[in-house]
Structure formats: structure tokens, C-alpha cells
Amino acid sequence: MDKLAFYDLRETDLDKEFQLPTTTFIGGSESTLSLREIIRRLESTYCQHIGLEFMFINDVEQCQWIRQKFETPGVMQFSNEEKRTLLARLVRSMRFEDFLARKWSSEKRFGLEGCEVMIPALKTIIDKSSEMGIENIILGMPHRGRLNVLANVIRKDLEQIFCQFDPKLEAADEGSGDVKYHLGMYHERINRVTNRNITLSLVANPSHLEAVDPVVQGKTKAEQFYRGDAQGRKVMSILVHGDAAFAGQGVVYETFHLSDLPSYTTNGTVHVVVNNQIGFTTDPRMARSSPYPTDVARVVNAPIFHVNADDPEAVIYVCSVAAEWRNTFNKDVVVDLVCYRRRGHNEMDEPMFTQPLMYKQIHRQVPVLKKYADKLISEGTVTLQEFEEEIAKYDRICEEAYGRSKDKKILHIKHWLDSPWPGFFTVDGEPKSMTCPPTGVPEDVLTHIGTVASSVPLEDFKIHTGLSRILRSRAEMAQKQTVDWALAEYMAFGSLLKEGIHVRLSGQDVERGTFSHRHHVLHDQEVDRRTCVPMNHLWPKQAPYTVCNSSLSEYGVLGFELGYAMASPNALVLWEAQFGDFHNTAQCIIDQFISTGQAKWVRHNGIVLLLPHGMEGMGPEHSSARPERFLQMSNDDSDTYPVFTEDFEVSQLYDCNWIVVNCSTPASYFHVLRRQILLPFRKPLIIFTPKSLLRHPEAKSSFDQMVSGTSFQRVIPEDGVAVQAPGQVRRLIFCTGKVYYDLVKERSSQGLEGQVALTRLEQISPFPFDLIAQEAERFPSAELVWCQEEHKNMGYYDYISPRFMTILGRTRPIWYVGREPAAAPATGNRNAHLVSLRKFLDTAFDLRAFEGKMF
């Protein structure tokens, strides 16, 4: 384009004189300059391959800082040594991809060709951050370029990468594993530029683009918390994105909106967008409505630096400024690497089908390494011989590693672990024993927690009168040595804090509780924003308790808490959904990380999901936490008759992918929370929590059920009149959760306590085969029934039915009692709800209901 047309000027405009502002970075001391001279100086000052977006930032100091970094003449000057280092890094980046392409031409690897400069870009961010005091960096990225990052940034042993391409490599008995371009890595090393220790962690992630973003942020927040790094001076995160995903995936927006929230901020993240100007086969004009893929970052006032990826020096300068920005202002920053994708979406894909003109141009494009090498050779920074020697040197390294990789016979997923927990799985070098100690606590501990939970530890702190009544009620329960749901939770958390276990509870409105039952944060009614967390006033040397209302996000926040739980096994991290079915919008995190994380990546995680659940006539959306989905994804075998060993309970937990419980008593809830920490390993825990039971007069537990020596009961057996003459019991009803209280009330009203026994499953998965067999044997003549309040195609029946058959055989079938199959989880009509409840309760206690019926 003609220069005058570019600036929208006429020739006569160029000689006009202009008054210069007092603050300018275009050089010289003149007070006035012609427009011609201003343009000349600007063009000599600015790198023509860098574009800046920052004028939307509402902070003058920050805007001036950016101007100075880019408008000061001569800022982009590099020493010969820096240029040679940059060239060497480009050589490694490009030759690594070339090596993989030569050796495995028909394998998918999602190479970095077209944006090889990303490797020196990331290394520059790490170098600059290390220089400014950062010691630990957590990275998240998609599959494109991951192997290159593992090799040349994290410094994973090349032979361990190369052996992943061997189809004959046997898998170790550690899980099902994952494809090589999803795997992570943890590595501590010396940064060669700063000569300082640096820890790098690349978090494993699935193909679901951007899903790893909040996970990385949560892990970063936890690492900062455990180091006491409140300002993010020692720990930071880097996120790599693709242009189409950065603009298209809503979790990017959710994650950005956590960036400045007190309980979620990581004090700034460097975002690097690999902008290859295409999304698989979709043109940008069809992929977004905004001018740039990075426009989402504007919502948090993050500066955006667009840079031509074919200008390595411009890229390195921008990345250095980005790292300096993050560590100066503790805010997010985006580097947009405007590049291209030399091949298709993967190496087997043909991009010419859909972008013929674009790929004709790409095929003519000279690789960035050749461009930059020619530049340095022409200016005398390196010689052609030195350049060729650098290439030959790295090629030898790759060939030698390739030779060693052929000796690998077994693939160990643990070598790719992104979050190791040194010392957790062993005691004095030996594996921990597969046992779990009792989960009860001394009575005086319960009494003390009850006292604090019912008081205000700060003086002159005025609470709401309604809350005063709640605290008085707690005090009365503690005096009577009983607990409701809220107090049981308080005692579980408080006792773990006493034992040095950090507890973090996060989610929408968790401070008060959706159902106004928790009140872990007290608010002064007369002083704005004055709050008190009594849980942090329990013991002089207790662990800290963190309770935080989240943004109105499920996907982003659950991912964040999952990442937080990855950092340490010695913390109880809980995410509570406002209602159980709200986990729907976080399904990606549940399916791709929580359910499968250990099988794919050998990554233990003890996150707890609290999902309010119960059919109470409140409509289809606020009723079901969808237990059937969690049970369907449970990995215990319904058809295998287990061997009941002494350690069967703990071994079963060790082998499962997660634990699913539906507690019917506060004591059960107390014990299962404590068991989560006392187990010698970590598994995700899914708890279907109550709504109406929070205030149900019968849903209370005594201290006797929680004191030292007591433990979580996977099954609560019948302990009433029916056990006096078990041979005369005609029906044994198994159930779980809230419906138990409906059944107890109905049994009493019909006077059937001696003829009908009720047994509760507190732990549904892994299935308590041993205790179910014992309970069935206790009542040998009883007809077996499974009763649930959920519809037949939902809830638990499809999960428990084949397992009952496995353990008891066809001679004692288990009949279904509950609501009929339906499309929606619950009715929106209160009367219809009560009618269906009445119907299945009548069937449950009709002792002739199944006579003559075939199972």
C-alpha cells in the first residue's frame, strides 16, 4: 500500500508543523516537528512486526509503562550472544519437528511447524521471570507443539519421547494411559541463563481445548498458598492457546474472570496465543465475530501484543516485556504470535481441501529458521559453518536418543507425572499399608468445636438476629451432644484443621450455604465488609480454613479447584454446586479430569464434590444431581464376585476411580469427609448432599456415633424391631439417602416394623458387596426390594441391580420400587410429586406386590 494512503494523508500534509506533548518517546528535544519527521521517527522506533493493544487499560501509569517499552528509540537491541542463543533455540525447535517427521512420517504428532518461534518465546518468558525471582512455573497448553515443549522447554529426556512412537512398547500396569501429545511433566532444573533453580510443570490435559486453563490456575494458586507467596513473586503460570479456541471456548472467559478475585487470583498469567489463523478447517471469518481472537482479554484490562512470528527478535522482545509486565503489575498479559500452520490439523490431514489459496502461499513461505540464519550470517553474527554445526550437533543428540529409545520395552506413565507428591505414598521408604484408621475424634474435640461454631470470636461484632437464633440452636445441640448436618460438617472440618490439614471450600454462595444452613462467614451488621470466620479461631496452631464464594461459574471454578487439589495431598479441597444438577456445565472437568485422571495420567486427586440432591417437588432443575451418570462412569465390575479379604474395604477404594456416597446421617457425612484424608491414597469423592434433611428433626446424630473408635459405615443395617426375629421378616428394603426417612415414617404408620427391614447404602460405589451379602443372609426369608425416589431410568437401580445379582444370584432377585421411567428428572407440579411419592410408598409396603411376577 502507498504510504500516504496508509496514513490517510496528502503530500501537502507532511510539511505541517505539530506541537509535541511533554511526554513522548520518539526521540529528540524539539518542541515542534513536521509530520514527515514524526512519521520517520515512529517508523524507525516501532518494530513494524509488532502491534499493541492497551489504550483500553484504565490506568495511566500502566499505559505509560507500555509506551516506554515500545516507543523509546533503540529498545529492541540484541547483543550478538543473545542473537546466537535465539538462533540455537530456533534450531532445536525446528530440527526436533524435522526429526519426528523423518522418523515417523505417518504418525500424528501435532507439530509446531509454522510457529517454531514459540519455543524461544516460552524460554524467554521463563528466563525473564526467573531473573525477576520466579522459582516455579506451571504451564498449560493444547496438543499442538506439546512434544516440542516437553523436549526443548521442560527438557524431557528425548528417548522417553521417542519411545512413545514405538507400537510394540508394552504399557506398565499403571492405568490405561493417554496419547503422547496429551501428557504432562514435572522437572526441576537450573535455568542456564540466570543460573537459578527453576521448577517447571506442564499439566496433562485432554483434547478438549482450553479445559486445562482453570486447572493450571488452581494449581498455581495452591503452590502460591503453600509457599506463602501471596503476591505471586515465586510462582506463576503460562497458558498457551490456539486462536480459534481462545475466541471460541467459554471457559477462557470464565478463567479470565477469576484472575482478579481474592480467593482465585494467581497474580497474573502470561498467555501465548499460537495464532495460525485457522481452526482445524474453519476460516477466522467463520470462527469469531471480533476483529482479533484475543479480544476476550480486554475484559480484564490485559495488554495484548500482536507480533509477527516470522520475526524472531520481535517475538523475543515482546515476550520479555510480557514477562516483565506480569512480574511488575501482577496482571494478565497476552502475546499473540501471528503465524501459520504448515501442515493440516495433524500430519495426516490435507488442508488444501478447504484452504487452497492459503496453503499455496504457505508452501511458498520460507521457514523462519532459514530467514533468521540468513540475516545473522549476512550481518556477520554467525558464519554458515557455525550454523551448520549447530544443526549437526542437535541432529546427533536426536539420533543418539533415538538409539537409546529402542531399548525401552515398557511405557511408564509415572514418568510423565505433572504433580508428584514426594513421600506421600511411602513411610520410611516402604509403601504405606492398605489400612484406614478409625475416623472418629475425642469427645472433648467435638465439644470444643461445637462451642466455637455457636459463638462469635470477635468482640463488638454485631450479627443478624436470625443468625443469633441459629447459633443458639447450635449451642443447644452441642450441649445435648447431638449434631445436624451443618454442625457435623463443622466438626469434620474443624478436627482436620486441628490435625494440620488445610481445608478449602469453594463454590457459589458456600460461605452462607445455598440453603442458609452453613454460615461459615459472619458479617457485622453495622460495619461494612467486616467479617469473621470462626473456623479460623478454633486452635492456636491450626491449619488455615479457606471458604470462598466463587463467581457464577461451574466449568471454570471446578477446574480451578481440581488444580488446587493437585498441588498437595494434605488438604481437603471441596467444590459445592449450588444445586446438584449445576455440575452439568462442568461436565468436561468431571469426565476428562476427575473420573479418568488417574487412569490416563497416574494422577491421584482427592477433590470432593458436594452435590445437593433430592426429590422434593421443586421442579426438574433443582432436584437431581444425576447420580446415574457418576455410577455409570464408576469402574468397579458388576459381574465379578469379589474375594472378601481382611483389607477388602480399603483395597476396593484403592482400585476404584472415584467414590460415590449418599449419606443419610450427619455422622456418616462427618466420617466420610475425615476418611477422605486418612486414607493412604487419594480418590475423588462424590457426595450427594441433602436439602430438606438439613433441617429434618430425625436427621441428627449423636456424639457417640462420632467419637474415637467410630468409623464411616458403608452400609447402615436394620437395627430395630425386625432384628429380634429376622426369620419372620418378609421384606428387606435397601435404599440410600433421603428416601429412608419417608420409608421409616410409612413403615411406622402401617405398623410393619417387625415384617419389613430397612437397610441403607451410604457408599454406593465401589459397591459394598461384602456388607450386602451379610445383610441379605441376616434375613433369609425376606423378599428383597430396592427403593429409590428417583425415576427408574435414573438414580441407582441400573447400577445396583446387576451387582445384587452377582452377589446373591437369581434365586433372590431384587425388585424395583420407585418412580416410573421419565425424560425429566422430576415433575414441576407439586401435586404430581406427592401422588407419585404416595404410589411408590404404597408399593414398598404392599407385601403381596410381587407375588406371581417374573423377575
Side-chain angles (χ1 to χ4, degrees):
M1 178 185 287
D2 177 77
K3 185 179 293 186
L4 290 176
F6 179 83
Y7 288 112
D8 193 21
L9 296 170
R10 295 183 296 274
E11 183 70 37
T12 54
D13 294 327
L14 296 179
D15 294 319
K16 291 179 180 178
E17 293 283 321
F18 284 84
Q19 186 77 28
L20 296 179
T22 54
T23 304
T24 181
F25 301 108
I26 64 172
S29 58
E30 302 92 335
S31 60
T32 61
L33 281 177
S34 69
L35 187 55
R36 188 189 306 275
E37 180 62 15
I38 291 174
I39 291 174
R40 188 194 68 77
R41 293 193 187 184
L42 284 173
E43 289 183 341
S44 65
T45 299
Y46 280 105
C47 173
Q48 296 179 27
H49 292 154
I50 298 174
L52 309 177
E53 284 188 76
F54 66 93
M55 291 305 294
F56 52 83
I57 297 174
N58 53 6
D59 186 299
V60 174
E61 178 195 355
Q62 293 174 8
C63 289
Q64 289 295 88
W65 187 92
I66 293 172
R67 287 193 184 101
Q68 189 165 15
K69 290 295 178 183
F70 289 96
E71 295 182 4
T72 301
V75 290
M76 268 190 48
Q77 299 297 321
F78 294 91
S79 68
N80 286 345
E81 184 60 33
E82 289 171 329
K83 291 178 179 180
R84 283 192 288 268
T85 298
L86 172 53
L87 181 66
R89 288 174 171 179
L90 272 176
V91 165
R92 287 175 171 253
S93 177
M94 190 156 187
R95 297 303 289 179
F96 177 82
E97 299 293 352
D98 289 349
F99 185 84
L100 296 185
R102 290 197 308 273
K103 295 295 185 182
W104 298 282
S105 59
S106 60
E107 282 273 353
K108 289 183 184 179
R109 54 186 169 82
F110 294 95
L112 199 52
E113 292 100 327
C115 193
E116 293 92 345
V117 77
M118 188 183 83
I119 298 303
L122 292 178
K123 292 176 79 72
T124 298
I125 295 169
I126 293 168
D127 292 345
K128 188 65 177 179
S129 299
S130 174
E131 178 187 312
M132 299 185 75
I134 293 292
E135 299 172 353
N136 189 337
I137 297 178
I138 296 108
L139 295 93
M141 68 175 298
H143 39 282
R144 186 164 312 286
R146 175 174 285 258
L147 295 180
N148 207 324
V149 169
L150 283 165
N152 290 313
V153 178
I154 310 295
R155 294 192 199 156
K156 176 81 175 170
D157 289 341
L158 290 177
E159 55 264 37
Q160 290 193 14
I161 296 175
F162 295 160
C163 74
Q164 289 276 332
F165 289 89
D166 185 352
K168 298 178 182 178
L169 199 65
E170 296 180 13
D173 187 20
E174 300 169 328
S176 55
D178 201 350
V179 292
K180 48 191 167 289
Y181 39 80
H182 287 172
L183 299 176
M185 175 63 181
Y186 175 95
H187 188 42
E188 297 179 23
R189 62 174 174 83
I190 296 291
N191 182 279
R192 292 171 182 166
V193 173
T194 62
N195 203 32
R196 294 177 178 176
N197 286 321
I198 190 82
T199 298
L200 301 175
S201 176
L202 177 62
V203 177
N205 68 287
S207 283
H208 296 64
L209 296 172
E210 308 296 343
V212 79
D213 297 358
V215 180
V216 167
Q217 302 298 59
K219 187 174 189 296
T220 303
K221 181 67 174 180
E223 296 287 359
Q224 290 174 350
F225 178 84
Y226 296 129
R227 288 170 174 249
D229 182 22
Q231 300 302 314
R233 302 298 185 193
K234 300 295 182 184
V235 183
M236 66 172 282
S237 57
I238 300 173
L239 288 174
V240 180
H241 314 268
D243 54 317
F246 198 62
Q249 291 292 324
V251 71
V252 174
Y253 187 85
E254 291 186 37
T255 305
F256 266 119
H257 270 285
L258 298 176
S259 66
D260 205 29
L261 304 182
S263 297
Y264 301 88
T265 181
T266 58
N267 302 287
T269 297
V270 179
H271 300 265
V272 178
V273 178
V274 178
N275 184 359
N276 50 38
Q277 305 171 76
I278 191 172
F280 203 150
T281 67
T282 303
D283 188 281
R285 290 167 291 189
M286 307 300 169
R288 64 176 186 266
S289 297
S290 61
Y292 301 103
T294 53
D295 286 339
V296 64
R298 286 169 166 257
V299 299
V300 293
N301 279 341
I304 302 164
F305 304 145
H306 307 280
V307 58
N308 185 343
D310 265 6
D311 185 343
E313 291 181 6
V315 170
I316 296 316
Y317 182 72
V318 161
C319 287
S320 179
V321 172
E324 191 176 351
W325 165 276
R326 185 272 168 198
N327 291 294
T328 300
F329 296 106
N330 297 111
K331 290 184 61 176
D332 285 42
V333 57
V334 178
V335 176
D336 179 21
L337 298 178
V338 183
C339 58
Y340 58 92
R341 191 187 67 197
R342 186 167 288 278
R343 302 175 187 271
H345 176 66
N346 60 64
E347 287 69 25
M348 304 296 101
D349 196 42
E350 176 51 75
M352 292 284 284
F353 290 150
T354 51
Q355 276 79 29
L357 298 183
M358 181 185 195
Y359 271 85
K360 284 178 182 177
Q361 178 63 40
I362 287 174
H363 292 157
R364 292 193 292 267
Q365 194 78 359
V366 177
V368 64
L369 177 60
K370 177 168 174 48
K371 285 183 181 179
Y372 192 57
D374 288 348
K375 176 180 180 293
L376 296 192
I377 291 169
S378 66
E379 67 184 34
T381 303
V382 296
T383 65
L384 176 61
Q385 181 180 350
E386 289 171 332
F387 173 55
E388 291 174 344
E389 287 174 353
E390 188 69 36
I391 290 176
K393 174 184 172 184
Y394 189 67
D395 286 352
R396 276 196 307 276
I397 291 172
C398 289
E399 285 291 350
E400 290 168 1
Y402 176 66
R404 293 192 299 271
S405 73
K406 293 181 177 180
D407 297 331
K408 303 284 184 182
K409 304 299 181 185
I410 298 177
L411 169 63
H412 290 281
I413 312 171
K414 64 186 178 183
H415 293 161
W416 300 76
L417 188 59
D418 55 18
S419 301
W421 293 338
F424 173 69
F425 297 101
T426 58
V427 176
D428 297 328
E430 296 295 323
K432 286 184 178 177
S433 105
M434 280 294 159
T435 59
C436 181
T439 46
V441 298
E443 184 179 310
D444 63 315
V445 172
L446 298 176
T447 301
H448 175 71
I449 296 172
T451 300
V452 175
S454 55
S455 61
V456 182
L458 299 182
E459 295 182 0
D460 301 322
F461 193 99
K462 185 174 178 58
I463 62 173
H464 192 276
T465 53
L467 187 53
S468 296
R469 290 193 297 272
I470 293 173
L471 297 189
R472 283 197 300 272
S473 174
R474 284 183 185 172
E476 291 169 4
M477 281 192 292
Q479 289 169 4
K480 295 176 182 177
Q481 296 198 324
T482 60
V483 297
D484 63 4
W485 227 273
L487 192 52
E489 180 183 76
Y490 216 110
M491 290 179 172
F493 290 177
S495 58
L496 290 172
L497 295 172
K498 184 178 189 295
E499 295 163 15
I501 300 299
H502 169 49
V503 178
R504 176 183 168 94
L505 172 62
S506 165
Q508 294 158 19
D509 309 295
V510 296
E511 295 178 5
R512 191 203 74 169
T514 299
F515 311 103
S516 196
H517 66 288
R518 183 173 286 124
H519 297 285
H520 284 187
V521 179
L522 309 181
H523 293 259
D524 194 309
Q525 298 297 295
E526 296 181 348
V527 181
D528 185 35
R529 293 192 294 181
R530 187 186 184 208
T531 60
C532 172
V533 181
M535 194 88 76
N536 279 321
H537 297 265
L538 285 168
W539 323 98
K541 295 183 179 180
Q542 68 171 69
Y545 174 54
T546 303
V547 56
C548 43
N549 290 340
S550 73
S551 64
L552 200 64
S553 154
E554 290 85 29
Y555 190 168
V557 174
L558 179 55
F560 188 97
E561 301 308 331
L562 174 80
Y564 200 103
M566 284 168 55
S568 171
N570 299 314
L572 183 68
V573 180
L574 310 96
W575 175 77
E576 182 175 69
Q578 194 172 69
F579 288 90
D581 54 350
F582 285 16
H583 74 74
N584 283 346
T585 54
Q587 199 70 44
C588 178
I589 297 296
I590 293 169
D591 291 359
Q592 311 306 323
F593 289 88
I594 300 178
S595 169
T596 58
Q598 184 179 350
K600 293 193 294 188
W601 306 316
V602 202
R603 178 202 285 164
H604 283 237
N605 196 296
I607 191 169
V608 180
L609 273 60
L610 305 179
L611 307 177
H613 172 82
M615 308 294 117
E616 289 156 352
M618 299 303 291
E621 265 66 65
H622 290 165
S623 297
S624 177
R626 295 289 190 173
E628 64 278 0
R629 293 182 181 173
F630 293 94
L631 295 173
Q632 182 191 40
M633 290 188 283
S634 297
N635 69 347
D636 61 327
D637 191 345
S638 62
D639 301 324
T640 300
Y641 196 105
V643 178
F644 300 137
T645 58
E646 186 178 342
D647 62 356
F648 175 72
E649 176 182 354
V650 178
S651 294
Q652 213 186 13
L653 294 175
Y654 181 78
D655 292 335
C656 74
N657 61 320
W658 57 17
I659 304 163
V660 181
V661 304
N662 187 2
C663 300
S664 64
T665 70
S668 281
Y669 183 48
F670 165 86
H671 283 297
V672 81
L673 289 174
R674 286 187 49 78
R675 185 184 73 170
Q676 185 70 355
I677 288 297
L678 294 177
L679 285 169
F681 45 82
R682 293 290 174 263
K683 299 285 178 173
L685 172 61
I686 315 300
I687 306 180
F688 302 122
T689 54
K691 295 176 290 181
S692 62
L693 290 191
L694 294 171
R695 294 177 175 84
H696 196 293
E698 301 301 319
K700 294 218 170 71
S701 298
S702 71
F703 279 17
D704 291 342
Q705 296 168 302
M706 301 160 66
V707 294
S708 299
T710 58
S711 295
F712 176 70
Q713 290 182 273
R714 292 174 291 148
V715 171
I716 300 180
E718 170 66 56
D719 61 355
V721 175
V723 301
Q724 298 173 9
Q728 298 178 19
V729 172
R730 297 177 60 188
R731 178 169 290 178
L732 171 57
I733 299 178
F734 291 92
C735 64
T736 185
K738 180 182 76 69
V739 74
Y740 168 76
Y741 294 91
D742 296 321
L743 293 168
V744 167
K745 182 179 178 181
E746 184 65 21
R747 181 177 67 173
S748 176
S749 69
Q750 294 194 28
L752 294 174
E753 289 91 338
Q755 297 183 64
V756 178
L758 298 176
T759 295
R760 287 166 276 174
L761 273 69
E762 302 292 283
Q763 177 179 298
I764 307 158
S765 179
F767 191 72
F769 286 100
D770 51 337
L771 301 182
I772 294 298
Q774 290 176 22
E775 195 68 356
E777 289 170 7
R778 252 203 331 161
F779 304 100
S781 304
E783 184 179 52
L784 305 183
V785 166
W786 174 263
C787 183
Q788 66 179 39
E789 59 179 353
E790 297 82 3
H791 292 282
K792 188 176 183 180
N793 57 324
M794 303 173 197
Y796 321 92
Y797 183 65
D798 284 343
Y799 175 83
I800 65 96
S801 179
R803 288 162 176 80
F804 266 89
M805 186 177 294
T806 294
I807 202 69
L808 300 176
R810 292 184 175 272
T811 56
R812 294 193 73 183
I814 184 154
W815 298 93
Y816 171 80
V817 171
R819 291 185 167 91
E820 295 176 356
T827 178
N829 183 281
R830 177 70 176 172
N831 182 63
H833 165 76
L834 294 175
V835 167
S836 62
L837 173 62
R838 179 73 265 156
K839 182 179 178 181
F840 82 70
L841 287 177
D842 287 344
T843 305
F845 293 98
D846 178 0
L847 300 184
R848 304 183 66 179
F850 303 110
E851 285 186 2
K853 290 188 176 181
M854 296 292 291
F855 183 74

